[in-house]
Structure formats: structure tokens, C-alpha cells
Amino acid sequence: MAAARKSVLGPLVGAVDQGTSSTRFLVFNSKTAELLSHHQVEIKQEFPKEGWVEQDPKEILQSVYECIEKTCEKLRELNIDISNIKAIGVSNQRETTVVWDKFTGEPLYNAVVWLDLRTQSTVENLSKRIPGNNFVKSKTGLPLSTYFSAVKLRWILDNVQKVQKAVEEDRALFGTIDSWLIWSLTGGAKGGVHCTDVTNASRTMLFNIHSLEWDKELCDFFEIPMAILPSVRSSSEIYGLMKISHSLKAGALEGVPISGCLGDQSAALVGQMCFQDGQAKNTYGTGCFLLCNTGHKCVFSEHGLLTTVAYKLGRDKPVYYALEGSVAIAGAVIRWLRDNLGIINNSEEIEKLAKEVGTSYGCYFVPAFSGLYAPYWEPSARGIICGLTQFTNKCHIAFAALEAVCFQTREILDAMNRDCGIPFRHLQVDGGMTSNKILMQLQADILYIPVVKPSMPETTALGAAMAAGAAEGVGVWSLEPEDLSAVTMERFEPQINAEESEIRYSTWKKAVMKSMGWVTTQSHESGDPSIFCSLPLGFFIVSSMVMLIGARYISG
């Protein structure tokens, strides 16, 4: 029997989507934006000390190789010719900081993840040296925070002797995850390309978002040697060609250009086709990130949002900016309920638990495991659960965890409405958590506007693929409005009245105040019976009596 003829689908584009919780490799048809196949591998997070979050850069790289290999195997099983893959894009968790040896290719320290809080004292010391005009924020669009790469790199340089020595001997290279992957995939120590794109560079706090260059004044302020920084490129151009690892069987990808690079939230903005001024999307991943395209102008927030580079789709193309609201803990709270408390065995179970009760029964959860990001920028905040009674069970806690994600998004949306002056008519959403229908309905109820979800939720990878396929010298993906594929959407309408939405939101805001340590003895002396526990990494140890008292606070 003759072998089945391989399917001819036209040019294909691959995308590496390297997130905080997992790595994926996905392959799309460049003419239809159809997802043909993908593979996913979960990534470990290490917590060496309270507030520290690390990952192994070699494990991250190996997960990329594994995902590429498994996806190519799946394509062969579908009788799809992988030699039709004409370009590869990279999307990545932003701010996570890696330093490695350019001669051996070995990481010199674990990757310090964007969620990490170890740099709090570094931030406090640096903030004392910033003059009143705050040149850091005016140049970068970012508040001085543990979130961004410069302070992580400063901590590594101060505390890791191997890195200090490598810098002195001109062996050290710094990068966010995109730089580490592109360098490794294009040859590593044997000629790998050390670069990043403007979206990732804009999250380091070393990059001037106006001149689109590394800034000497900023580097001097953070005492970062400029020689270890990657070159900065646009988000859509050929950076280098794939050089397949000896351990990888997907030899057909040898020589395929890596030609797209976007930080994950910018990639999702592109994948959601938010190319017009005022268009916005919210991504529900490990954290939660709402970006609004502000066009060619930098809009500086007065309500705790970030100004950042949205994308630059070609060397000679204009740069677009965005306002961003960042929430540290979204999907991470589900993982925490699974790994730390063991009340679920997998992420999908939380929807079932929440559906069983349909309410938090007055239980409120503030998952400030890494402090609070926008709009507060309060690193000392700690997570709390309050409003507990003897009736409270794991289903109510599961529901409260989902509500917390929605309440945090509401805070960001309110800030963005105030900065932009134009209320959102609906919210476009994407990311792994959007498969949870309870969450999506809760989000529509709490925002009191419709929530709109694309039928193909892999918009982050799609954005990286679009940038790669559209690059000069590749040209297999048109970004002209008339050529972009129409996307079918699922729509969630609010199902509660506005007054109920406001009451639930304002009660949750009281819990947020408590999470930031705003508890005074005066409140108890005046008869306020509220009891809140605020413990490191955010949970509670309470007796039945305390649970009942907490319930009286919520109801009264």
C-alpha cells in the first residue's frame, strides 16, 4: 500500500510560548491562522526562601526542545510536512532574569522570576537616591519595583560571586528569557545571537522607551555594565537561524529563521489584533495583564498603571505603546490551592468546586503572595482570606479565589478608564484561565460589561507567530487589516444587577486594605469585630471562633 501523501497546507509558522508555569510549541497555518498542533510541558518553580521564586534556565531550554520535538512528531502523525515551517516566533515570560557564561553556555545562577520579592531592600535603597523628578519613571514608564529586571540583576551582581567573576572576565551575558532562548537556539556558545526585542527591553528598567535604546544614565544608576546587555531589535525581523541541538530529532527545522520576538503580553495584544488606538485585551495566566494600545504616543498613568512598548513590527516600522495594568497572582492562586493546600488535584477541578456552591458565602480572598502590583505597588502586602464561618468549605474558598482574579481585573479596568477617559464597552480576554466558564461569567458580572473571548484562546502564541511570519525576508503572514482572519468570539453578558456588583467589589476592597497591613488597635477598641490573618505567602491559621468573628465583619 502506497504511503499517504503529505498534506499541503501552504506556509506554516511555529511559536515558542515560554510562560511562568509551562512551555509550549505551537504551529499555525499562516493563511488561515488555524492552530494545527502543539505540545506543552509544565515548568517547575523553586522557592528557596520566603518570597524568592527561581527557575532552572537549562530546564526551560530543555522544555523548549521537548515541545518542538513532540509537536513535530504530532504533525508527522497528521501527515503534515514540517519542512513547510518557514519561521519561528518566541513569546516569553517577561522580567525574569538570566545571567550565563558566553563561552560555556552554562547559566551562572538560577533564573530570578518576575514574581520574586528578594529585591525589596535593593528597591528601598535605590529609591532613596532618586531625585524628585524621578528620571527612572520618566525614561522607562515604570515605577521602581521588585517586578523589573534591573533590580534582579543588581541583586545577582551583589550576591553571586560566580557572576561577579564572569563579569570581570568578560564572560557574562544578561538577558530575559527571550534572549536566553534565542541565543541558545541560534547556536549558543558557537555563535548564538545575543539580542532582545523592544517589548522585553522595555521591562528591564534600563531601556529608554523614547529613544528605544539602552540608557547610560539608567545603567549607571543601577550600576549595570552595558557590555553584558543584548542588542535591541524590533519585534519582527530575522534574528538568526535555528541550529538544532544534537538531542533534537526535528532536523527539518535546521536553518529556519527565528524572526519574531514579543514579551507574552505584547504577543497577546498582537494575537488579539488590537492594532488600533484604544483597543485592549486582558490575559489570564500566572498573573493577569490588561494592555491598552495607546498608538504612537506614550501615555503616562496617574492611577498606578505602567507605560510600556506594545510592539514594533519591523525595523523600519513605527513603535506602538500601551498602558498596562499588572496583577501578580491570577492562575498562580489555582496552582497554590493545588500544590500548597491540596484542595484540588488539577486546575480544572476549581471550576467544578466553584459551580457546586455558586457563591463564596461571604468569603473574600486577597492573593497578595508577591505583594500587590497595580494600582498599589505595595510589596509588603500579604495574602489573606477573611469572612470565614464554620459553614465555609473548600468550594467557597475556590469560588473566592476565582472572584479575587475578577476583582483585581476590575481595579485595573477602573484605573485604565480614569487614565484614558473613555469607559470600555467590553473586555477582550485570552489565556489559559479563560476556559473556565464560571470565571468568565464572574468577570462579566463584576465588571458589569460583556467579556469577549476568542474561540481559539492561544492568542499569545498566535501573536508571536504573526510577528515571525510577517518579518522582512519571510513574508508568509500578512498583517494588512483586509488579510487578517476573522475570529469567532464567545460572549459573556453580566447576569447580576449593578448594585450587587458594586457591593461585592467594595467589600473586597476592604479586604485589600487589610492585606496591606492597615489594621489598627483602634478599630478593635471601637468595637469593630474584624479579625484578619496576614501571614507570609498569604494564608490563614484561624480557629472556629475567629471564623465566626470574620463572618460578622463581612455581613456587618
Side-chain angles (χ1 to χ4, degrees):
M1 185 175 170
R5 209 169 70 181
K6 289 187 175 176
S7 302
V8 179
L9 295 169
L12 311 180
V13 179
V16 173
D17 180 7
Q18 204 300 297
T20 318
S21 303
S22 69
T23 298
R24 289 178 293 180
F25 183 68
L26 307 92
V27 174
F28 297 89
N29 183 329
S30 67
K31 298 304 178 190
T32 64
E34 178 191 1
L35 174 60
L36 300 176
S37 189
H38 76 283
H39 188 77
Q40 180 169 345
V41 172
E42 191 166 304
I43 300 293
K44 289 178 194 157
Q45 293 178 31
E46 299 174 23
F47 307 97
K49 296 182 182 178
E50 182 196 322
W52 292 30
V53 189
E54 296 180 0
Q55 291 179 318
D56 179 353
K58 290 175 79 172
E59 183 197 349
I60 290 173
L61 179 59
Q62 191 53 43
S63 72
V64 171
Y65 286 137
E66 182 180 342
C67 288
I68 291 173
E69 187 168 319
K70 296 290 188 185
T71 303
C72 288
E73 284 176 12
K74 291 176 182 178
L75 289 171
R76 289 191 187 98
E77 288 168 8
L78 294 168
N79 216 31
I80 295 171
D81 189 349
I82 64 172
S83 67
N84 280 335
I85 297 174
K86 303 302 181 187
I88 292 171
V90 174
S91 164
N92 58 285
Q93 53 171 308
R94 305 169 301 171
E95 299 93 21
T96 297
T97 299
V98 188
V99 183
W100 67 95
D101 188 310
K102 66 183 175 184
F103 296 122
T104 66
E106 290 294 311
L108 296 165
Y109 191 69
N110 267 351
V112 179
V113 177
W114 58 276
L115 283 165
D116 189 279
L117 284 175
R118 77 187 66 188
T119 54
Q120 195 166 338
S121 60
T122 308
V123 168
E124 288 165 3
N125 291 334
L126 287 166
S127 64
K128 294 170 187 171
R129 294 170 39 207
I130 292 181
N133 64 1
N134 196 345
F135 72 96
V136 174
K137 188 165 186 182
S138 64
K139 288 188 173 194
T140 67
L142 310 174
L144 191 59
S145 165
T146 59
Y147 185 13
F148 306 107
S149 308
V151 290
K152 300 179 195 299
L153 182 53
R154 181 68 259 148
W155 185 94
I156 291 170
L157 290 168
D158 287 339
N159 293 278
V160 183
Q161 199 166 358
K162 274 173 71 175
V163 173
Q164 295 166 359
K165 194 167 188 294
V167 169
E168 288 165 11
E169 296 173 358
D170 193 27
R171 291 185 289 110
L173 296 178
F174 152 79
T176 43
I177 294 295
D178 58 305
S179 298
W180 165 241
L181 293 181
I182 292 172
W183 184 84
S184 300
L185 294 171
T186 56
K190 297 178 181 176
V193 178
H194 186 217
C195 68
T196 188
D197 89 300
V198 289
T199 67
N200 282 294
S202 75
R203 312 298 292 194
T204 61
M205 215 180 261
L206 301 170
F207 184 72
N208 188 313
I209 61 173
H210 310 286
S211 67
L212 302 182
E213 295 174 328
W214 298 122
D215 190 285
K216 187 175 185 307
E217 185 182 15
L218 291 168
C219 290
D220 288 346
F221 174 72
F222 290 104
E223 298 179 81
I224 303 296
M226 295 184 78
I228 70 174
L229 303 179
S231 63
V232 182
R233 315 276 281 273
S234 77
S235 309
S236 178
E237 62 180 88
I238 295 174
Y239 312 112
L241 306 181
M242 280 282 284
K243 292 185 180 173
I244 298 301
S245 157
H246 63 85
S247 64
L248 195 65
K249 297 171 190 168
L253 298 189
E254 182 81 33
V256 173
I258 298 176
S259 51
C261 179
L262 292 148
D264 50 9
Q265 303 314 318
S266 289
L269 195 74
V270 171
Q272 285 265 31
M273 300 175 201
C274 296
F275 294 126
Q276 301 300 316
D277 197 335
Q279 288 185 305
K281 66 86 210 172
N282 196 34
T283 299
Y284 299 75
T286 298
C288 209
F289 303 90
L290 179 57
L291 267 70
C292 180
N293 189 331
T294 62
H296 303 309
K297 61 182 182 294
C298 287
V299 175
F300 283 86
S301 172
E302 295 179 7
H303 301 96
L305 304 179
L306 311 177
T307 305
T308 197
V309 175
Y311 53 81
K312 186 178 189 291
L313 296 174
R315 276 181 292 190
D316 301 322
K317 297 291 175 69
V319 65
Y320 282 74
Y321 295 96
L323 268 179
E324 175 175 337
S326 312
V327 170
I329 303 294
V333 75
I334 313 303
R335 187 168 178 161
W336 184 81
L337 290 175
R338 183 194 73 185
D339 296 345
N340 291 41
L341 290 194
I343 71 171
I344 53 174
N345 295 316
N346 57 63
S347 300
E348 291 71 33
E349 281 184 34
I350 194 160
E351 184 173 7
K352 184 182 173 187
L353 290 181
K355 192 174 183 179
E356 275 185 39
V357 287
T359 175
S360 67
Y361 196 71
C363 174
Y364 286 79
F365 194 159
V366 182
F369 300 164
S370 295
L372 288 169
Y373 286 5
Y376 303 102
W377 299 106
E378 181 48 72
S380 62
R382 288 295 179 268
I384 62 172
I385 295 183
C386 60
L388 303 168
T389 74
Q390 287 176 316
F391 180 72
T392 305
N393 62 34
K394 64 181 182 180
C395 297
H396 300 113
I397 291 171
F399 195 96
L402 296 181
E403 271 195 321
V405 175
C406 300
F407 288 134
Q408 290 179 106
T409 298
R410 166 75 186 268
E411 289 191 300
I412 300 300
L413 198 77
D414 285 356
M416 205 160 276
N417 282 335
R418 288 196 293 271
D419 276 326
C420 296
I422 305 169
F424 284 62
R425 294 176 182 269
H426 65 266
L427 181 65
Q428 287 177 234
V429 300
D430 58 75
M433 293 186 80
T434 61
S435 61
N436 186 322
K437 291 185 183 296
I438 297 286
L439 177 71
M440 292 294 94
Q441 186 57 55
L442 274 172
Q443 189 66 88
D445 290 345
I446 289 164
L447 295 179
Y448 210 66
I449 57 173
V451 167
V452 180
K453 173 194 160 189
S455 56
M456 200 287 291
E458 304 293 351
T459 51
T460 300
L462 177 61
M466 290 165 66
E472 186 179 348
V474 178
V476 298
W477 205 308
S478 171
L479 297 182
E480 294 302 318
E482 63 272 16
D483 296 328
L484 293 171
S485 302
V487 179
T488 56
M489 299 284 189
E490 185 176 4
R491 192 176 176 95
F492 296 84
E493 300 282 349
Q495 291 182 355
I496 64 174
N497 63 49
E499 186 182 2
E500 184 184 344
S501 176
E502 287 302 321
I503 289 168
R504 283 158 65 175
Y505 178 53
S506 62
T507 309
W508 185 79
K509 292 274 279 185
K510 291 177 187 175
V512 172
M513 297 301 105
K514 300 294 185 181
S515 80
M516 291 193 284
W518 295 2
V519 180
T520 65
T521 53
Q522 184 179 1
S523 66
H524 298 298
E525 288 165 1
S526 63
D528 181 354
S530 59
I531 297 284
F532 286 78
C533 286
S534 182
L535 299 178
L537 286 183
F539 210 54
F540 57 93
I541 300 173
V542 286
S543 68
S544 296
M545 185 170 69
V546 174
M547 292 180 186
L548 288 166
I549 294 170
R552 285 177 57 204
Y553 170 81
I554 290 298
S555 61

